Amino acid sequence: MREGESLKAVAARGFSTLEKVLNRYYPEEDDSLSREIRRTGRSLILADAQADARFSQWGDSGHVRGWMGVPLMVGGKVIGHLTLDNRQVDAYSEANASLAQAFANQAAVAIENARLYTETEQRVEHLAVLRELDQAITASLHIDDVYQAFARHTGRLLPFYHMSIALLEGDNARLAYATGEEIINSVGTTQPLKTMGAINWVVTQDQPLLSPDMAADKRFVAYRRSLEVGLHSAMIIPLRIKGQIIGTWNLVHRQAEGYSTDDFIIAQSMADQLAIAVENARLYQQVQRHTEQLEQLVVDRTRELSVLYEVTAMASESLDLQTTLTHALKQVLVAMQGNSGAIHLLDEAGGALGNITLRERNLNLAVQQGLPPDIVAQVDSISSNSGLGKRVIEADGPLFIPNVVSDPHLAEISAGRPNMYVGLPMRARGGVVGILSILREAAQPQFNVEEMTLLISIADQIGVVVESTRLRQQAEQSAVIEERQRLARELHDSITQLLYSMNLFAKSGRNAYNLGNLDEMNYCLTELGDSVQQALKEMRLLVYELRPPILEQDGLVGALQHRLDAVEGRAGVTTQLLTGREMELPAQIEEALYHIALEALNNALKHAKATSVTVKIKADAAGVKLEVVDNGSGFTFDAVKDKGGLGLVTMRERSEKLGGGLTVVSSPGQGTTVKVNLKQ
């Protein structure tokens, strides 16, 4: 039977060894008798084959004398031929030829029908396998799964001794996958494309290669190992994506002409599927890699920015400077993967250091982490006008030194260890308040641009924290001084005046006693007693104000009860605190109501001389109500204008700030009621 340009023996009888004949391929160009039968489409009889030059001697054909060849024809096309031989000369006649031709015609139709049926079955099977292949290699985006699935389905369609996939990487080809009875090269091996013979030819010529005989094909000279293990035929199919070759799919067979034209066509179809699957898997890997890099970048940036947030948050916390700086340095070292670091602060004399200064200033070690004790002693105080301090302050940006050991000016921090160093000035209000120093082991990656930028922000933020802490300390000191002055004024305006009045009443009473004026004496003693009681009230009020506030600790109700017990109760004033159900109010509302109540109680104690006060608090869905009622002397609003309004303006401002209203009801001799109504 004809297959391409070759003849294949598909049936035989009468040979001593059939395996030497069946399924063998014979080049048609070497058989002149076969060519003549195909050319003429007629039977051919040789009276004596041994005497005919056209008869090719092969195998044990020396006994053949009579010979006849009959064409197998379908639709006027020769698809093969039937040959008969005999040991006798003139064994076949034209009559024999006519009979054989009739048989051959029937056989040709049957063979063609069988061939068509077989081809149809094979194509159906091939299509089914190709569909399964497409589903299998697109079911996963992991490249190893794609390769393994492709190899399994290839084995169902195409025979191979060895199969491999090579992917192009620039001018090189990398063996991405290999399978078969023997792996010729290790997976992952990379070779220059120009040294790879047949694969290089496929890539440069941009066409597939079918080689029926590798040994006779010069393009396979470089594949000596394959030839040594007895591989004879090969197919190399380019893998293309959008017209661009990304690699090759390589199949080798032990037999010569191991792959047919149909195999070649099937392989090219499969290669298209493989190329798409490989490209998708590669893109997936890139996306995964980029996603992982992006996620890691987000983690790194989140970690780094959290340090900046932590440092920024510290500025609003009431922590001492030592605690704040220690925590900040620890966070920075973790984020920057530093093994040690330090923060030096410029001495406070003169404040922040401007860009131009001639006066010697010291940078004192505030906190450090990871520095050896001997280094700590050396850097406890450094000059801002020389050495490391000057270099950091005057540097245009961060001062980066790849190896402190190699820098003679950094002997004080090297300790003989090859660390990287980065130093940054900490600025606030346009001046330098200190320097931040970070050391990282030389074996680690160098500080990158993002890290340097972040360190600049962190250093400046630490500078703001330092300046804010110092300003807060100054404010606290000013507040202490101001409070002392206020207490002095209070003592002068109240207690001192009362003591002066008590002294006058005591003298007047003594004089009245000496004069025998008992009525005058009783009057003076009564006034003296009242003044003493008022002085005690004023002193208890001042002592209460000197104590730390308990609003935050006990809440609004607890703080008011404490006030009534500590001041009014001890002054002999009858008190009541009336509340509804247990309440939870926002901190700003509790603080406002507390101060309004205190102001009302102070007025009742100091000015109204009340003997009874009642405080009422009620909270419900509608809002919060506060009411302070006393039985004191009362007042008219015109009468208290000269006394600053008894704090009424302040109470009204506090209530209005929370969207509420203040009502004051009072008249001489009728006591006073202060009402606050805050709506939810």
Side-chain angles (χ1 to χ4, degrees):
M1 300 300 297
R2 295 188 68 249
E3 289 189 7
E5 300 299 324
S6 300
L7 295 171
K8 179 182 179 182
V10 297
R13 187 176 179 182
F15 290 89
S16 58
T17 53
L18 291 176
E19 64 272 10
K20 292 183 179 180
V21 178
L22 289 178
N23 296 319
R24 287 191 60 185
Y25 287 87
Y26 307 92
E28 189 178 35
E29 63 181 10
D30 296 338
D31 190 339
S32 59
L33 293 175
S34 297
R35 293 200 308 274
E36 186 173 344
I37 292 172
R38 180 164 68 91
R39 181 178 60 80
T40 63
R42 298 175 59 185
S43 299
L44 181 62
I45 299 175
L46 299 182
D48 186 355
Q50 300 297 325
D52 196 312
R54 296 173 297 175
F55 184 76
S56 299
Q57 298 287 339
W58 48 271
D60 55 353
S61 62
H63 65 281
V64 175
R65 305 304 293 269
W67 183 91
M68 179 171 60
V70 182
L72 298 171
M73 301 184 66
V74 174
K77 181 180 178 182
V78 177
I79 63 171
H81 58 263
L82 171 68
T83 63
L84 301 171
D85 60 67
N86 199 298
R87 293 177 181 272
Q88 299 294 324
V89 176
D90 290 326
Y92 302 107
S93 65
E94 290 297 331
N96 296 136
S98 296
L99 181 62
Q101 186 64 63
F103 173 78
N105 290 340
Q106 292 180 334
V109 172
I111 291 173
E112 181 66 8
N113 289 339
R115 184 184 66 79
L116 291 174
Y117 178 77
T118 301
E119 283 184 357
T120 301
E121 280 194 327
Q122 287 179 343
R123 291 189 180 187
V124 171
E125 182 183 355
H126 289 171
L127 289 174
V129 174
L130 289 175
R131 281 196 299 270
E132 292 176 16
L133 171 63
D134 185 64
Q135 294 173 355
I137 63 179
T138 56
S140 174
L141 290 172
H142 295 285
I143 193 68
D144 291 336
D145 295 341
V146 170
Y147 290 151
Q148 292 171 11
F150 188 79
R152 287 195 305 271
H153 286 78
T154 297
R156 296 173 59 184
L157 293 175
L158 301 170
F160 62 85
Y161 177 82
H162 174 78
M163 181 192 112
S164 65
I165 298 171
L167 298 180
L168 301 185
E169 295 180 351
D171 294 331
N172 299 318
R174 176 177 58 85
L175 184 62
Y177 180 76
T179 187
E181 296 183 33
E182 183 176 354
I183 306 300
I184 308 300
N185 294 311
S186 300
V187 173
T189 303
T190 300
Q191 291 181 247
L193 186 60
K194 63 182 180 181
T195 66
M196 300 185 71
I199 291 179
N200 183 50
W201 184 89
V202 169
V203 173
T204 55
Q205 298 298 315
D206 193 14
Q207 57 180 294
L209 171 63
L210 173 61
S211 178
D213 187 356
M214 295 167 58
D217 194 328
K218 294 181 180 180
R219 293 168 295 190
F220 285 90
V221 172
Y223 298 82
R224 183 175 58 186
R225 176 60 181 158
S226 298
L227 299 174
E228 288 176 352
V229 298
L231 303 180
H232 290 89
S233 55
M235 286 193 297
I236 301 178
I237 314 297
L239 303 176
R240 295 188 183 89
I241 291 292
K242 296 179 180 180
Q244 185 73 28
I245 296 179
I246 63 170
T248 61
W249 173 36
N250 317 302
L251 292 165
V252 289
H253 200 292
R254 272 196 174 280
Q255 295 182 3
E257 298 187 357
Y259 296 110
S260 66
T261 303
D262 289 341
D263 293 335
F264 198 42
I265 294 172
I266 292 173
Q268 292 180 68
S269 176
M270 294 175 65
D272 292 338
Q273 292 177 290
L274 176 61
I276 294 172
V278 169
E279 184 66 9
N280 288 341
R282 288 171 65 176
L283 291 174
Y284 174 74
Q285 286 182 329
Q286 291 178 6
V287 170
Q288 287 290 97
R289 185 165 56 252
H290 292 161
T291 301
E292 291 172 0
Q293 292 173 351
L294 182 59
E295 289 176 348
Q296 186 60 47
L297 184 62
V298 170
V299 170
D300 293 341
R301 292 298 170 267
T302 301
R303 184 184 67 249
E304 294 167 357
L305 291 176
S306 67
V307 177
L308 185 59
Y309 171 78
E310 289 281 343
V311 174
T312 303
M314 290 175 197
S316 60
E317 297 181 7
S318 299
L319 301 175
D320 64 275
L321 187 57
Q322 186 79 12
T323 302
T324 299
L325 294 181
T326 299
H327 185 64
L329 180 60
K330 180 180 179 181
Q331 294 292 325
V332 172
L333 289 178
V334 171
M336 295 294 116
Q337 301 179 13
N339 57 305
S340 57
I343 294 177
H344 286 78
L345 297 182
L346 204 64
D347 56 47
E348 294 189 51
L353 181 67
N355 293 329
I356 301 176
T357 181
L358 298 176
R359 189 166 58 82
E360 178 70 22
R361 300 282 297 281
N362 287 330
L363 288 159
N364 302 313
L365 182 64
V367 294
Q368 64 84 23
Q369 184 173 325
L371 294 177
D374 55 333
I375 299 299
V376 173
Q378 293 182 44
V379 299
D380 184 63
S381 181
I382 60 178
S383 172
S384 64
N385 287 345
S386 62
L388 178 62
K390 182 179 181 180
R391 293 179 65 186
V392 173
I393 292 173
E394 294 183 352
D396 185 15
L399 174 64
F400 175 67
I401 299 170
N403 190 339
V404 295
V405 175
S406 62
D407 193 318
H409 301 290
L410 296 179
E412 64 263 33
I413 63 170
S414 68
R417 295 184 299 179
N419 287 321
M420 288 179 280
Y421 172 86
V422 61
L424 305 99
M426 302 186 306
R427 304 179 185 276
R429 295 193 299 172
V432 176
V433 298
I435 63 173
L436 169 65
S437 299
I438 303 295
L439 291 164
R440 179 188 283 180
E441 293 181 357
Q444 290 183 300
Q446 289 194 357
F447 292 93
N448 57 41
V449 175
E450 290 80 7
E451 290 176 324
M452 289 292 194
T453 303
L454 180 63
L455 279 173
I456 292 173
S457 299
I458 291 175
D460 286 343
Q461 194 59 46
I462 294 176
V464 171
V465 171
V466 170
E467 188 67 12
S468 298
T469 303
R470 288 177 174 175
L471 291 175
R472 184 167 58 245
Q473 291 173 345
Q474 294 174 7
E476 290 172 353
Q477 292 173 356
S478 298
V480 170
I481 295 173
E482 183 178 345
E483 183 65 12
R484 287 175 179 172
Q485 293 173 346
R486 187 188 69 82
L487 290 174
R489 289 193 301 271
E490 291 283 345
L491 287 170
H492 177 269
D493 294 343
S494 58
I495 306 300
T496 302
Q497 296 296 327
L498 288 170
L499 290 175
Y500 180 72
S501 298
M502 291 162 58
N503 182 50
L504 291 177
F505 284 124
K507 287 181 179 181
S508 297
R510 187 185 308 114
N511 291 336
Y513 174 77
N514 291 332
L515 294 174
N517 189 345
L518 296 180
D519 292 337
E520 181 67 19
M521 183 185 71
N522 286 332
Y523 171 77
C524 291
L525 290 177
T526 299
E527 291 296 328
L528 178 61
D530 291 343
S531 297
V532 169
Q533 288 297 322
Q534 187 64 27
L536 285 173
K537 292 179 182 179
E538 298 279 355
M539 286 300 297
R540 288 192 178 101
L541 181 58
L542 289 174
V543 170
Y544 179 80
E545 290 178 352
L546 286 172
R547 292 175 180 171
I550 62 170
L551 178 63
E552 202 172 306
Q553 177 180 345
D554 295 343
L556 177 60
V557 175
L560 288 176
Q561 186 63 62
H562 184 273
R563 157 61 193 251
L564 293 173
D565 294 341
V567 179
E568 280 76 12
R570 297 180 65 182
V573 178
T574 302
T575 64
Q576 273 189 305
L577 177 59
L578 304 178
T579 62
R581 59 183 175 83
E582 185 176 346
M583 62 189 75
E584 290 187 9
L585 301 175
Q588 66 269 27
I589 292 180
E590 285 198 340
E591 183 178 357
L593 293 177
Y594 177 69
H595 286 292
I596 291 172
L598 287 190
E599 190 67 39
L601 291 171
N602 290 347
N603 288 338
L605 186 70
K606 295 169 64 176
H607 304 295
K609 296 182 174 57
T611 60
S612 173
V613 292
T614 300
V615 179
K616 301 178 183 178
I617 307 175
K618 181 182 179 181
D620 54 28
V624 184
K625 295 180 180 180
L626 168 70
E627 189 173 305
V628 180
V629 181
D630 69 66
N631 65 348
S633 59
F635 63 91
T636 62
F637 289 96
D638 291 338
V640 299
K641 287 182 179 179
D642 296 336
K643 298 181 180 180
L646 300 178
L648 297 179
V649 175
T650 302
M651 288 191 285
R652 180 168 284 105
E653 287 177 350
R654 288 185 184 276
S655 63
E656 290 177 351
K657 186 176 181 180
L658 296 174
L662 176 75
T663 303
V664 180
V665 179
S666 182
S667 60
Q670 300 299 316
T672 302
T673 299
V674 177
K675 296 181 180 180
V676 178
N677 188 5
L678 301 179
K679 295 181 179 180
Q680 290 282 40

